[in-house]
């Protein structure tokens, strides 16, 4: 029946899966304020719940088709033809449709997004029960789920990018949900801007893909991917330095390298796409936004950190695995970035006191594990860690929310209510939260048989035994002078050691968090006898609306004990804890070689490992099978050592060794508390440079653009207009003044003598004839001795002879009828006689 209603090539059930969360967001966004909280909750939960049910039906339909047809199968649905463009050499028309598809990879993601998303919605229905903007919160939450579904179900990069930007917008809205608080608004902006930097890389990658492959849909890119690395021609090679392959000469010759640096198109595309992945999945150097994202309500933290958005980068690497494996340099970059992020974030999480900060840096670190997995070519292992991480991280964040919910009943300060130094001993007050938090902690710490152990162990194993190579190294090497880069032989072993250290830190900081929160004595407030206090329903006592105007209570006065959360919050915890334990058995290597998850994903990545023929782009050590169990002890040892140290420090010694270490190395301890001061470094360098540039541009705009060009030109026009207006304003005395000024100018001109003369010359005889004037009389100084030759008279002409090469000064004085005298001096200069060369004698003429 499902096949009849929804054929595989027109599987419109995808549209229903997408439309339901969007419908929930639309109804609550438009009418939510008037509907009331119960109706808003019903709409939001029904929308995402129904979407989850449809997702299960779609998953079963795909599973049935895979069982029947075998190999790679997918369900597709085209909503409409979106646009056509031109791209790629000879590719011609590139169709970009609003098309969606479901295959083995995004079917799992779809279940995670809708399933875990529904549990978070259910949890939030109680957690946010007192919030004044209840309807707005669920509008954003539904919209977030819709955007994430667009991202993972899109059949091409432009559709994925729409969802990519949609979750970015929703994260901005949700992180800054309590926007009255400046830190919350700043965290929202930080997330938005950091993601935009990564998005720039993703856009560049899309342009390069359409240029080189002429396609943006998964099938088209896959069909044209091989040529990105296999073709040694200049068209598919990018000259990084010298830029464009040019030659520097002269003073710039020192810039000319001995060997030009050239990368393949696959490397350029891979690096650009990975920048987008690093931004969305919070990797170095763009990880700084994710820890601050906890400024939003705790269900938002769970949604962003666990189920959806931050795993988008890993999903994209898996989705385009056939592009990334073409470049060992890109794969190595992914591994190095992931390993560095994992260990850096783990060191920060070691000393944090805010329970949500510990979990936030844990997310960053675990994302590093996932990138290491996909970077070494273990795409199934990396994606499996996405799968297990969704459960235990959602459980941990919602468990932390349950603890904060209890602490907030008496401590209304947000910072203190999240500070583990005010917690302790919550085990006896919150049994459901305790056991579920413990289960998730065991999972993320890598306890054997828990889900995190299986997924993390597989990554460590593959990091040790796998190696990325260029599948077209032979073709590329055929080009004269070309060398093909490859990672060093020790690279895998080094990554394994680093990740084991990071796993040890994970076990330590997670159990430190667990012991400080649930064991020891309760440090929040003086707990009185429960019978002495009025018993209230738990969900009526706490207000999480971000309106922090509570009066600070005296915590030394006995108060009611912390309480367990209502069922809407504990049921999701129990479900997530169960999956945190059991999900690992979907891929229980090395216990057994029967790996359902890997088998399910195999058709998606099967083609990737066959690229280039031969051994393919990922090499595995010949003795890998023998190393599987020995290497598994690395992960077990990491769990045992990290957990043991945490137990000794915080259970047996009540934190005394940690305090002693902090006292012995106070600067290092403070540096870790300050998160290596990376934020401060960014503020002093990049942000300061941007601010300085912005200030300079503001001054240029204010004083040059606005002051000189805009205001100066307007002032000039206004001044000219003011002057011209005076001549036609009809004011008579202004006209009279203009006439007086004009007459005075004329009078001055006519009463002033203007001596001038015309001059003619013939064989050195110069004749000067003075110009006429009213009442003029003339006198000359023709010999140039400075004395007039006669008194003023009527002589208007004078003749002077000047020899060749000589000069003579003649002065003319004129007196007019008013007795005023003017003079002008004429310099008569006669050039030398021209010399003629006699070509016969070589003598110069005239000699």
């Amino acid at each position: 029946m499902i096949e009849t209603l929804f054929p595989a090539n027109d599987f419109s059930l995808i549209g229903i899966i997408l439309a339901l969360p969007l419908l929930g967001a639309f109804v609550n966004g438009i009418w939510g304020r008037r509907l009331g909280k119960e109706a808003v909750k019903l709409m939001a939960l029904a929308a995402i719940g129904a979407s989850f049910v449809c997702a299960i039906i779609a998953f079963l339909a795909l599973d049935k088709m895979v069982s029947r047809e075998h190999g790679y199968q997918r369900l597709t649905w085209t909503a409409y033809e979106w646009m056509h463009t031109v791209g790629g050499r000879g590719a011609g028309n590139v169709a970009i449709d609003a098309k969606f598809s479901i295959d083995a990879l995004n079917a799992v993601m779809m279940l995670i997004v809708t399933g875990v998303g529904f549990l978070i919605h259910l949890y939030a229905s109680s957690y946010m029960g007192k919030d004044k903007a209840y309807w707005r919160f669920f509008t954003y939450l539904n919209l977030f789920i819709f955007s994430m579904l667009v991202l993972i179900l899109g059949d091409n990069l432009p559709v994925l990018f729409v969802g990519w930007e949609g979750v970015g917008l929703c994260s901005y809205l949700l992180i800054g949900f309590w926007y009255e608080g400046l830190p919350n608004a700043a965290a929202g902006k930080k997330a938005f801007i950091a993601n935009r930097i990564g998005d720039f890389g993703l856009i560049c990658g899309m342009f390069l893909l359409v240029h080189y492959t002429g396609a943006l849909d998964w099938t088209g890119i896959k069909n044209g991917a091989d040529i990105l690395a296999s073709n040694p021609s200049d068209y598919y090679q990018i000259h990084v330095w010298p830029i464009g392959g040019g030659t520097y000469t002269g003073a710039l010759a020192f810039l000319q390298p001995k060997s030009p640096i050239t990368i393949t198109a696959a490397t350029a595309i891979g690096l650009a796409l990975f920048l987008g992945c690093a931004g969305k999945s919070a990797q170095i150097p763009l990880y700084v936004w994710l820890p601050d994202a906890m400024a939003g309500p705790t269900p938002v933290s769970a949604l962003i950190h666990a189920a959806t958005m931050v795993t988008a980068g890993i999903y994209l690497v898996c989705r385009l695995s056939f592009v990334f494996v073409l470049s060992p340099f890109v794969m190595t970059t992914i591994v190095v970035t992931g390993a560095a992020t994992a260990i850096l974030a783990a060191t920060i999480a070691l000393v944090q006191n805010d329970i949500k900060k510990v979990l936030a840096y844990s997310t960053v670190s675990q994302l590093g594990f996932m990138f290491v997995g996909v970077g070494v070519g273990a795409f199934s292992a990396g994606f499996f860690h996405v799968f297990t991480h969704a459960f235990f991280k959602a459980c941990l964040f919602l468990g932390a929310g349950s603890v904060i919910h209890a602490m907030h009943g008496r401590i209304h300060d947000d910072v203190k209510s999240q500070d583990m130094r005010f917690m302790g001993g919550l085990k006896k007050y919150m049994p459901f939260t305790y056991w579920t938090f413990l289960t998730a902690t065991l999972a993320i710490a890598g306890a054997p048989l828990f889900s995190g152990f299986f997924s993390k162990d597989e990554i460590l194993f593959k990091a040790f035994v796998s190696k990325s190579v260029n599948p077209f190294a032979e073709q590329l090497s055929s080009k004269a002078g070309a060398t093909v880069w490859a990672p060093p032989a020790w690279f895998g072993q080094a990554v394994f050691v680093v990740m084991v250290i990071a796993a040890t830190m994970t076990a330590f900081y997670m159990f430190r968090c667990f012991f400080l929160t649930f064991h020891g004595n309760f440090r929040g407030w003086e707990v009185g006898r429960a019978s002495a206090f009025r018993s209230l329903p738990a969900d009526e006592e706490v207000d999480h609306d971000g309106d922090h105007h509570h009066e600070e209570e005296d915590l030394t006065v006995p108060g009611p004990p912390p309480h367990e959360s209502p069922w809407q919050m504990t049921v999701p915890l129990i479900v997530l804890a169960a999956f945190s334990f059991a999900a690992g058995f979907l891929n229980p290597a090395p216990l057994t070689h029967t790996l359902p998850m890997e088998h399910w994903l195999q058709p998606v990545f099967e083609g990737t490992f066959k690229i280039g023929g031969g051994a393919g782009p990922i090499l595995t050590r010949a003795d890998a099978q023998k190393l599987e169990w020995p290497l598994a002890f690395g992960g077990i040892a990491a769990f045992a050592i990290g957990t043991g140290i945490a137990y000794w420090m915080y259970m047996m010694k009540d934190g005394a060794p940690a305090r002693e270490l902090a006292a012995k190395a106070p600067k290092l301890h403070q540096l870790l508390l300050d998160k290596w001061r990376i934020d401060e470094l960014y503020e002093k360098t990049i942000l300061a440079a941007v601010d300085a540039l912005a200030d300079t541009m503001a001054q240029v705009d204010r004083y040059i653009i606005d002051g000189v060009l805009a205001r100066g030109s307007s002032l000039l026009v206004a001044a000219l207009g003011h002057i011209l207006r005076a001549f036609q304003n009809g004011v008579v005395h202004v006209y009279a003044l203009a006439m007086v000024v004009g007459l005075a100018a004329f009078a001055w001109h006519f009463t002033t003598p203007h001596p001038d003369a015309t001059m003619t010359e013939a064989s050195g005889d110069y004749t000067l004839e003075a110009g006429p004037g009213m009442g003029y009389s003339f006198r000359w100084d023709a010999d140039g001795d400075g004395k007039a030759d006669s008194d003023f008279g009527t002589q208007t002409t004078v003749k002077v002879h000047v020899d060749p090469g000589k000069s003579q000064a003649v002065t003319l004085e004129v007196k007019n009828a008013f007795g005023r005298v003017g003079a002008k001096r004429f310099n008569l200069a006669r050039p030398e006689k021209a010399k003629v060369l006699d070509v016969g004698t070589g003598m110069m003429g005239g000699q």
Side-chain angles (χ1 to χ4, degrees), residues 48 51-52 55-56 59 104-121 144-145 148-149 152-153 302-303 305-309 311 315 370 382-392 394 576 579 583 586 597 601:
I48 189 68
S51 183
F52 177 56
I56 292 175
F59 182 86
L105 182 65
N106 57 9
V108 177
M109 284 291 289
M110 177 179 63
L111 292 178
I112 294 174
V113 171
T114 54
V116 178
F118 174 76
L119 294 174
I120 293 172
H121 273 64
F144 189 102
I145 296 293
M148 192 65 203
L149 287 172
I152 59 173
L153 297 180
L303 194 64
H305 285 247
T308 54
M309 177 177 167
T311 57
Y315 169 75
M370 298 172 203
F383 186 74
F384 186 51
H385 201 51
V386 171
F387 180 71
T388 60
H389 181 266
F391 298 118
F392 56 68
L576 290 169
F579 278 99
L586 289 175
M597 176 67 85
L601 295 173

Side-chain angles (χ1 to χ4, degrees), residues 753 774-779 791-792 813-822:
M774 185 173 64
Y776 278 9
S777 58
F778 312 92
R779 70 181 181 184
D791 201 358
F792 285 103
E813 292 181 281
V814 176
K815 184 165 69 176
N816 63 11
F818 299 98
R820 301 185 64 185
V821 177

Side-chain angles (χ1 to χ4, degrees), residues 284 287-288 340-352 361 505 667-682:
I284 291 175
Y287 74 94
V288 290
T341 305
I343 202 148
L344 177 76
T347 59
I348 296 173
L350 291 175
V351 298
Q352 298 302 312
Y361 280 102
M505 292 183 183
K667 292 184 178 178
L668 177 61
H669 181 254
Q670 190 59 46
L671 191 61
L672 295 177
L673 273 177
D674 293 341
K675 301 161 284 184
W676 292 104
R677 297 185 189 132
I678 300 295
D679 283 319
E680 289 79 0
L681 177 65
Y682 283 0

Side-chain angles (χ1 to χ4, degrees), residues 18 195 209 220 227 237 306 384 454 503 568 593 686 704 735 767 770:
L18 289 166
N195 274 279
L209 275 172
I227 203 167
Q237 307 291 310
F384 186 51
F454 293 116
Q568 295 93 334
H593 294 293
I686 298 173
I704 297 179
Y735 294 168
T767 302

Side-chain angles (χ1 to χ4, degrees), residues 437-451:
F437 200 94
L438 174 60
T439 304
T441 300
L442 287 167
I444 192 173
L449 303 183
F450 282 76
S451 62

Side-chain angles (χ1 to χ4, degrees), residues 764-784:
D765 294 329
Y766 291 85
T767 302
L768 288 85
E769 183 175 0
M774 185 173 64
Y776 278 9
S777 58
F778 312 92
R779 70 181 181 184
W780 300 86
D781 175 16
D783 53 8

Side-chain angles (χ1 to χ4, degrees), residues 609-630:
F609 294 111
K610 294 180 179 177
I611 291 176
I618 306 297
L619 297 182
T620 304
R621 288 172 56 134
D623 57 347
Q625 292 297 327
K626 296 179 181 177
L627 293 173
E628 190 164 7
W629 266 108

Side-chain angles (χ1 to χ4, degrees), residues 457-517:
D457 175 75
E458 186 71 359
I459 291 173
L460 295 175
F461 170 66
K462 290 295 177 63
F464 191 92
V465 302
S466 299
K467 180 182 179 182
S468 178
V469 296
N470 194 317
F472 302 104
E474 189 175 341
Q475 290 96 314
L476 294 175
S477 299
S478 63
K479 190 171 183 178
T483 56
V484 180
W485 188 87
W490 48 264
F491 183 71
Q493 291 85 329
V495 172
F496 176 81
V497 172
V498 171
M499 299 314 290
V500 168
I501 295 172
T504 307
M505 292 183 183
T506 303
F508 173 81
Y509 67 68
M510 283 309 305
F511 271 96
R512 171 181 175 268
C513 171
F514 176 74
F515 293 141
L516 286 175
T517 303

